[in-house]
Amino acid sequence: MTVQAFYPIGIPGQPWGEAEQGEWLSRQVRHRSFDAEVRGKIEGLGSRFDVVQYGELNYGADSYPLLAIRSRDWNEALPTALVTGGVHGYETSGVHGALEFVDLHAAGYAGKVNLLVAPCISPWAYERIHRWNANAIDPNRSFRDDSPAHESAALMQLVAPVRDSVLVHIDLHETTDSDESEFRPALAARDGKPFEPGEIPDGFYLVDDSEDPQPGFQQAVIAAVEKVTHIAPADDKGEIIGSTVVAHGVIEYALRKLGLCAGITNARYKTTTEVYPDSPRATPEQCNAAQAAAVCAAIDYALAHPAG
């Protein structure tokens, strides 16, 4: 069913112009601190890992360093594992799960794989608990040449030198109730399209690459996460968020064609995690732990199966 949902900005059926985008931006409020909650933790890891600044965001009076964490013992002979989080700033466990992985587990991979971790790709959106950047652009549809999103372009530039050596890339996300209550209606309003209601799955799931699926890899990650939190079931159509469930807890997207973060390398193993933080069956601590468990399982599988 297609319905015209009310959204308080713009005229139904008409895409936003500069006035509507400005009105939207004026409504965005800082709810939390990137410096206190994220930057401090990243810099605190500097005693054990290399912390590099790969860019800077400047939105009006607000500026944010774009920070990544690298193995201190980087060895060009080893494959690379890329971990990304916070492409959507409101998806909290993507950020803090990446940091938990580095803090608790990364040292165990020294000498086995080079680690490159970008835990908070969208710090402006992190502070405002939002999906888009300050220009009302979704970074996770913008990982392409001539990207309109500074966040996406900067990450692609960071990754470019190691793009061909990345064996595994895991991109950490969440699916939240606010996707249906706020972000999808806002997207429809911005683009002048009708809002099509959907269902939010209760549980964790993964997004594989439809152009190069790796079912064994995906199931290894699901099995590890299932020890931490529950896996989302298919709905009565056999789908999760409108996509066919191809295996337990797994759907597929064309990652590169859609401009998604998980498609930015030539990695054999790629996946996007989707934690459900609004479930009564999951705590914030479980959500972070599920992300960290997913990263460990992804790297472990990739190292055990380097040739597929």
Side-chain angles (χ1 to χ4, degrees):
M1 180 178 67
T2 298
V3 299
Q4 186 62 59
F6 172 77
Y7 196 77
I9 298 173
I11 299 172
Q14 295 185 18
W16 289 358
E18 291 185 8
E20 290 81 10
Q21 183 178 327
E23 181 182 354
W24 170 84
L25 182 59
S26 72
R27 293 170 178 253
Q28 305 312 308
V29 177
R30 182 183 284 107
H31 295 284
R32 54 190 180 182
S33 170
F34 168 75
D35 281 350
E37 298 180 18
V38 181
R39 183 178 182 177
K41 290 183 178 180
I42 294 173
E43 292 177 344
L45 293 166
S47 61
R48 292 179 282 157
F49 304 91
D50 289 341
V51 174
V52 297
Q53 181 172 339
Y54 64 93
E56 182 175 86
L57 295 181
N58 293 286
Y59 290 125
D62 299 316
S63 63
Y64 303 89
L66 296 172
L67 301 173
I69 301 161
R70 286 170 47 104
S71 299
R72 180 150 292 166
D73 56 345
W74 193 277
N75 182 346
E76 298 293 343
L78 296 176
T80 298
L82 174 64
V83 182
T84 48
V87 170
H88 296 137
Y90 72 111
E91 297 173 4
T92 305
S93 72
V95 176
H96 293 285
L99 291 170
E100 181 170 312
F101 163 74
V102 176
D103 185 32
L104 300 182
H105 306 289
Y109 293 98
K112 301 176 183 178
V113 65
N114 298 318
L115 295 174
L116 179 59
V117 183
C120 190
I121 291 166
S122 298
W124 182 93
Y126 177 87
E127 292 196 330
R128 288 151 183 86
I129 315 183
H130 212 286
R131 184 179 182 88
W132 297 341
N133 67 15
N135 296 320
I137 294 172
D138 183 345
N140 207 34
R141 295 296 185 275
S142 304
F143 288 95
R144 57 182 80 250
D145 293 341
D146 300 320
S147 174
H150 300 304
E151 297 85 351
S152 308
L155 183 72
M156 292 177 72
Q157 186 174 15
L158 169 71
V159 171
V162 298
R163 178 175 173 175
D164 292 334
S165 71
V166 175
L167 175 65
V168 55
H169 177 193
I170 182 165
D171 188 33
L172 309 181
H173 285 257
E174 295 181 344
T175 299
T176 71
D177 288 345
S178 59
D179 286 347
E180 191 70 8
S181 63
E182 167 63 23
F183 299 121
R184 291 175 187 164
L187 175 63
R190 186 198 69 183
D191 294 347
K193 297 179 179 179
F195 171 60
E196 299 182 5
E199 296 182 17
I200 300 298
D202 183 356
F204 179 95
Y205 64 98
L206 293 174
V207 182
D208 196 0
D209 186 3
S210 63
E211 297 180 316
D212 184 23
Q214 298 290 335
F217 168 68
Q218 306 296 331
Q219 287 305 304
V221 176
I222 288 288
V225 173
E226 203 161 19
K227 297 175 182 178
V228 180
T229 191
H230 58 291
I231 306 303
D235 62 20
D236 57 7
K237 297 179 182 179
E239 298 176 342
I240 291 177
I241 60 167
S243 294
T244 300
V245 173
V246 298
H248 181 44
V250 181
I251 62 173
E252 295 178 350
Y253 285 173
L255 301 178
R256 187 164 294 175
K257 287 182 179 179
L258 292 173
L260 302 178
C261 183
I264 64 173
T265 75
N266 294 319
R268 176 178 297 276
Y269 301 110
K270 304 179 283 288
T271 196
T272 300
T273 68
E274 294 287 353
V275 165
Y276 179 47
D278 297 315
S279 174
R281 301 165 60 188
T283 65
E285 292 75 20
Q286 273 182 295
C287 292
N288 294 343
Q291 301 280 26
V295 175
C296 291
I299 298 173
D300 291 344
Y301 185 93
L303 290 176
H305 304 83

